[in-house]
Amino acid sequence: AMAAAAAAAVQRLRAEAAADAEAAGQADPECEVAKARLLQAAAELELPPAALDLLIDECGGAAAVAEMTGRKARVVRQGRGWASQPRAKPESGEMEALNVTERNAFMDGKKLVAVISDAASTGISLHADARSANQRRRVHITLELAWSADKAVQQLGRSHRANQTSAPRYVLLCTDVGGEARFGSSVARKLEAMGALTKGDRRAEIGSLDTFNLDTAWGRKALKALLAAAYAGDSSVLPHLAADSAAIESARAGLDAAQKGSEKELEVRRFLNRMLGLPLAQQRQLFDLFAAALREVVSAAKRDGRYDAGVADISAGARLLEPEALIWRDPITGARAHAATVEVDRGVSFADALSKLR
């Protein structure tokens, strides 16, 4: 009986396989109807264009914008819609030299806006060269920070090079979403480390980045203050949070999601990483609280004289209170270190104010 049942099952499977083979390549009417409906629904969707295409269109179109990317085609506006268009003839030599042609158009002043991507960010100079026709001061807008510090310096160096008539102005765009501060903090920390290692000055690569770097001793103190205000009711740093029960509950919910309820101590880097998984409104609220705690912690440290701003240039008027005194002499090299006490007036003197008024 079992052998007969097995034989019947094998025969049934063979029949189904033969039927499938016979129907192979034939369209199923139900599937065709479903496919047509999906294609129609996709065609009716009003999706926005890619960010790069929209940016080029808002800046005047391809005739006014020099595009230096790895793309072979772009989406351009046609009437009320958008259509794909090749950047050059597909089977011509124009495609290989396209970025060079666009770069020359920008440097010659034929196009006053340039868009450059990571694919074309090496070996292209876009600075206000004294030998080029376009010597306008460059405004370098970075839409997306590079993850690597050396790559970020390479990208910024496209518009800041030797023989320039004016230095560029950099604009680093960042949204108010709390989780995005994690990327800015990481790049700032790496840039400071690069400057400290290569030139002995953490400001050497791109200037002071203290406002971007959150993973510092003050950032860790601010995070501890936020945790203390949310869980222990400590109002010394964030008094408005301790007094608002609804804000406390919302902050606890966000912190619970960030901590995942498994760790007692939360590092700043991990806190910012896990903030990325929260809804945008919760990210914004948590980061605003963290930023407020950081401002208060730094302000308190400055009032108490405990805040170390590192090496700072004195650009205001200064008066020497105590003469320089030798505090250290290296026994091997003979290098000397001196210290002096100065009084700094960061305001404007009366004589300077009168001269500016005239």
Side-chain angles (χ1 to χ4, degrees), residues 88-297:
K89 296 179 181 179
E91 301 299 332
S92 66
E94 299 178 7
M95 190 66 71
E96 297 180 0
L98 190 56
N99 288 337
V100 177
T101 304
E102 293 286 89
R103 181 257 181 195
N104 293 337
F106 176 74
M107 297 300 287
D108 292 340
K110 299 177 182 177
K111 298 182 178 182
L112 300 181
V113 180
V115 176
I116 185 169
S117 70
D118 184 55
S121 63
T122 303
I124 290 183
S125 299
L126 301 174
H127 61 296
D129 197 333
R131 299 165 295 182
S132 64
N134 183 7
Q135 298 183 18
R136 293 175 174 85
R137 186 186 182 188
R138 307 301 195 242
V139 179
H140 191 141
I141 303 175
T142 300
L143 296 179
E144 185 179 15
L145 288 172
W147 186 253
S148 172
D150 56 347
K151 183 172 289 188
V153 173
Q154 284 290 331
Q155 291 179 359
L156 298 177
R158 297 305 98 204
S159 59
H160 188 30
R161 305 179 74 82
N163 199 40
Q164 61 186 8
T165 58
S166 61
R169 182 168 70 92
Y170 292 115
V171 179
L172 306 180
L173 295 184
C174 186
T175 67
D176 59 351
V177 176
E180 192 169 350
R182 187 261 180 273
F183 303 103
S185 175
S186 176
V187 175
R189 185 178 65 255
K190 293 174 182 177
L191 285 172
E192 288 183 348
M194 179 184 294
L197 290 174
T198 59
K199 301 183 180 178
D201 186 355
R202 61 188 177 88
R203 306 167 301 155
E205 293 303 325
I206 196 174
S208 179
L209 295 169
D210 294 339
T211 56
F212 292 95
N213 188 6
L214 304 175
D215 194 5
T216 61
W218 308 112
R220 290 186 286 273
K221 289 183 179 181
L223 182 57
K224 288 182 179 180
L226 175 59
L227 294 172
Y231 292 105
D234 186 358
S235 61
S236 57
V237 177
L238 295 171
H240 64 283
L241 177 62
D244 191 345
S245 58
I248 288 178
E249 291 301 323
S250 180
R252 285 177 181 172
L255 288 170
D256 287 341
Q259 292 187 99
K260 296 183 179 179
S262 60
E263 299 165 46
K264 296 181 179 179
E265 294 186 2
L266 187 62
E267 299 177 356
V268 175
R269 192 182 311 177
R270 187 178 292 117
F271 168 71
L272 295 175
N273 275 340
R274 292 180 178 174
M275 192 188 295
L276 291 170
L278 300 178
L280 295 183
Q282 211 166 27
Q283 285 189 39
R284 189 174 294 110
Q285 182 193 33
L286 261 186
F287 186 76
D288 288 346
L289 290 173
F290 173 72
L294 180 59
R295 287 193 299 268
E296 183 58 35
V297 167

Side-chain angles (χ1 to χ4, degrees), residues 295-315:
R295 287 193 299 268
E296 183 58 35
V297 167
V298 171
S299 298
K302 289 181 178 179
R303 288 193 301 266
D304 299 339
R306 296 181 291 105
Y307 185 76
D308 181 14
V311 180
D313 298 325
I314 300 177
S315 58

